[in-house]
Amino acid sequence: MNCEILHTLYIKSNGEVLCNDDFGERILLGRVSSETTAASLDELLNNEAYGHIRSSLAAGRVPWEGVCEECAFLRSEEPFADPLAEKRLSKLQLEPSLLCNLDCRCCSNDLQITTREQPHLMEPATYEAVLSALRNRGYRLDSVEYCGQGEPLMHPRFAEFVQLTKRYYPQAWQRLITNGNVSYERTVGAAPLDEVMVAGDGLYQESYAQYRVKGRVEKVLRFMGDGVAAKERGRPLVIWKYILFEFNDSKEELLAAQERARELGVDTLVFVVTHSQYHSQRYTMESIASLPIVQANVTTNAHPSFFDGVLYGSPQRSLIAGLGEKLRRRWQARIDEVMIMPGELLQLRGWAAAETEIALIRLYAGDAYLGETLPTDLRPDVEAVYPRFRHQPLGFRFSAQLEGVVEKISLTLHLYDHQQEEIGRLSAPFVFALEQGAAPD
Ligand SMILES: C[S@@+](CC[C@H](N)C(=O)[O-])C[C@H]1O[C@@H](n2cnc3c(N)ncnc32)[C@H](O)[C@@H]1O
Ligand code: SF4
Ligand code: SF4
């Protein structure tokens, strides 16, 4: 049993150190303040609550019964690991502000505003004390994420937090998660962020505001455009995060959002499957592969809670034949990613290209037929390497229900043209593990 809390430190605006930023928020692990020292931080990270988390997970038990089972940080199938004990933090999550300008329908923000102790805007001095203590004790810190249960950009001194991180941990990746209903210039300005993830759950005001109550979608779009314009040496990356609700999942709106993402020049548009109330019925984990994608920088993802127990597939041998054969071949294909989600749902992503158009792809696991799909995603990256294969779309995605637990699987793709003639066949054995292995060749 494992949990991400042993490499993540989550600090609320009032200095409380809690379990994760959703269900785990009811568990208090300690407190920091502007008085925090290297010694008091060490004490906190080794206190009774952390000791209880460590001993429970190591013994294969959830630390907080009735809470952990619902928490997105739990990795019930993973072996126990304790990077924190080795002074390695992959993420420090900071809530600069619990205040928010919106009233989203499933968010705990309004409840927290009435129940959480002040301050609801974090003191920069508290954050500096924590950074200084971590550095003093030799902690490695890979990333800082500005998020929580409020809107980070409601903090009038937001940019100072980014500057502080840069001063103490210049290598740390800095990500802001925001609703983007503010002026980019007045809030982020020239702060040296690496990534800005903007919640834009819809392209049209009528659909967007059904979840993002009080929000204005034109402000979100302007914010993203200004973020792109503010880039210096490629940073920050601007990511449009579009959660799929029942109000914003029409094919027309999804395609129009992709077109707008292209016009704005955002780095990625990601459509996210959620498990919350009002979630899209049309696109769930089982059917996400059918979401129409017409641009190379558009992708799909899921709320972290879906990833408890995911098995990642690694190819046991090279997927593409030697160079000579590669040059002669009238087709090429590759499986980029294979995952088995809990419930034995196989998810696969890849591309297939040929001199003639590929009309159909059939997938087999061993001798068992799993189903068929079509290339649906544009892959200019593939076209750039194989300019003779121009029949976009070249990318495909696939979901299939497996029967029972598998550790190894031999996958075969059969590619067909419009006359139902087989063009080519790609076979590869995969082994599955809880951690992501080496990418395919
Ligand atoms: C509570 S918000 C705080 C940051 C910021 N105010 C925002 O909304 O992006 C943290 C994250 O929760 C996500 N979120 C909000 N409602 C959600 C829902 N119903 N399902 C999944 N994620 C949700 C947001 O998109 C954001 O990435
Ligand atoms: S799974 Fe349990 S221990 Fe881990 S963050 Fe969530 S509540 Fe805390
Ligand atoms: S903008 Fe973010 S913090 Fe504010 S209510 Fe919506 S989800 Fe919650």
Side-chain angles (χ1 to χ4, degrees):
M1 173 114 23
N2 205 18
C3 173
E4 297 200 4
I5 198 68
L6 291 181
H7 55 91
T8 310
L9 180 60
Y10 174 37
I11 307 177
K12 296 286 284 181
S13 65
N14 61 10
E16 288 174 336
V17 175
L18 305 182
C19 272
N20 104 315
D21 69 334
D22 189 2
F23 216 78
E25 289 232 346
R26 53 208 77 194
I27 308 289
L28 179 69
L29 302 174
R31 286 172 199 277
V32 292
S33 72
S34 55
E35 308 292 307
T36 290
T37 60
S40 69
L41 190 76
D42 252 355
E43 216 171 281
L44 191 162
L45 297 176
N46 292 289
N47 69 12
E48 214 178 300
Y50 273 97
H52 174 69
I53 292 177
R54 291 183 163 112
S55 60
S56 307
L57 294 171
R61 290 190 308 269
V62 293
W64 322 105
E65 231 172 279
V67 179
C68 298
E69 293 87 344
E70 304 291 326
C71 179
F73 272 14
L74 189 67
R75 296 289 172 264
S76 44
E77 315 282 333
E78 271 180 36
F80 173 67
D82 189 1
L84 197 55
E86 292 158 23
K87 303 197 168 175
R88 284 189 286 125
L89 274 172
S90 59
K91 183 164 85 176
L92 191 165
Q93 188 179 340
L94 192 73
E95 181 182 77
S97 160
L98 184 59
L99 305 181
C100 190
N101 43 353
L102 306 193
D103 207 358
C104 304
R105 279 161 84 168
C106 300
C107 186
S108 71
N109 176 267
D110 47 356
L111 176 70
Q112 296 214 16
I113 291 277
T114 53
T115 53
R116 290 259 178 226
E117 277 171 34
Q118 298 273 358
H120 292 165
L121 289 176
M122 172 168 269
E123 292 295 338
T126 299
Y127 185 48
E128 181 159 14
V130 171
L131 287 176
S132 163
L134 286 174
R135 195 174 69 177
N136 179 295
R137 287 294 153 119
Y139 278 85
R140 187 179 115 182
L141 176 59
D142 297 334
S143 69
V144 173
E145 187 171 278
Y146 304 97
C147 187
Q149 293 298 320
E151 172 47 48
L153 297 181
M154 286 288 100
H155 200 299
R157 295 164 66 188
F158 172 77
E160 274 181 51
F161 291 95
V162 186
Q163 295 292 3
L164 281 170
T165 306
K166 202 75 191 165
R167 180 166 352 131
Y168 284 88
Y169 282 96
Q171 304 306 326
W173 183 265
Q174 298 203 58
R175 175 187 298 121
L176 162 68
I177 299 188
T178 175
N179 66 40
N181 270 257
V182 290
S183 150
Y184 189 95
E185 175 59 34
R186 282 206 295 275
T187 53
V188 178
L193 286 168
D194 296 291
E195 182 182 330
V196 179
M197 182 176 277
V198 188
D201 312 327
L203 176 66
Y204 307 128
Q205 180 61 20
E206 313 79 71
S207 46
Y208 165 82
Q210 290 203 46
Y211 185 76
R212 298 272 165 188
V213 177
K214 296 190 196 159
R216 300 291 313 171
V217 76
E218 77 269 13
K219 289 189 182 172
V220 181
L221 299 171
R222 190 175 321 129
F223 184 91
M224 289 193 283
D226 290 349
V228 171
K231 274 176 188 264
E232 266 185 42
R233 292 192 294 275
R235 295 286 178 273
L237 298 179
V238 178
I239 317 286
W240 179 350
K241 176 179 175 184
Y242 187 128
I243 302 175
L244 294 159
F245 291 113
E246 56 194 31
F247 335 106
N248 63 14
D249 64 352
S250 73
K251 185 175 178 194
E252 191 278 321
E253 189 164 2
L254 299 177
L255 293 175
Q258 294 177 48
E259 175 58 18
R260 184 59 76 87
R262 191 188 58 74
E263 286 163 13
L264 288 169
V266 303
D267 293 278
T268 306
L269 164 59
V270 52
F271 292 109
V272 176
V273 176
T274 180
H275 57 351
S276 85
Q277 213 185 348
Y278 314 115
H279 69 79
S280 167
Q281 308 288 335
R282 197 172 282 155
Y283 301 111
T284 60
M285 280 312 290
E286 289 73 28
S287 60
I288 190 65
S290 63
L291 188 145
I293 288 189
V294 293
Q295 275 169 215
N297 63 341
V298 179
T299 177
T300 58
N301 204 342
H303 187 269
S305 55
F306 286 111
F307 285 84
D308 182 16
V310 164
L311 296 168
Y312 298 93
S314 305
Q316 282 183 300
R317 59 174 165 72
S318 173
L319 281 174
I320 294 181
L323 188 65
E325 193 188 342
K326 205 156 123 182
L327 292 175
R328 280 196 305 277
R329 265 211 216 159
R330 302 176 62 193
W331 63 275
Q332 288 295 336
R334 178 176 147 139
I335 296 173
D336 290 324
E337 188 179 70
V338 190
M339 291 192 278
I340 300 179
M341 310 296 288
E344 315 330 325
L345 182 73
L346 179 80
Q347 300 264 24
L348 188 143
R349 201 172 55 75
W351 56 264
E355 285 169 358
T356 51
E357 200 172 346
I358 293 172
L360 187 69
I361 301 171
R362 293 211 168 102
L363 182 71
Y364 292 79
D367 293 332
Y369 173 59
L370 292 181
E372 59 191 39
T373 188
L374 288 172
T376 49
D377 302 351
L378 291 182
R379 291 291 298 261
D381 52 332
V382 175
E383 199 181 317
V385 179
Y386 299 105
R388 67 187 191 280
F389 301 145
R390 290 178 187 279
H391 299 286
Q392 294 280 7
L394 301 170
F396 64 84
R397 285 167 298 143
F398 196 91
S399 322
Q401 189 63 51
L402 297 175
E403 293 187 2
V405 180
V406 290
E407 285 170 8
K408 289 183 182 179
I409 207 168
S410 179
L411 293 173
T412 307
L413 295 171
H414 296 238
L415 315 176
Y416 298 90
D417 66 14
H418 283 285
Q419 282 70 47
Q420 300 278 312
E421 293 288 327
E422 189 171 319
I423 302 172
R425 197 178 281 197
L426 173 79
S427 286
F430 285 84
V431 281
F432 290 89
L434 284 156
E435 305 252 330
Q436 207 145 4
D441 296 340

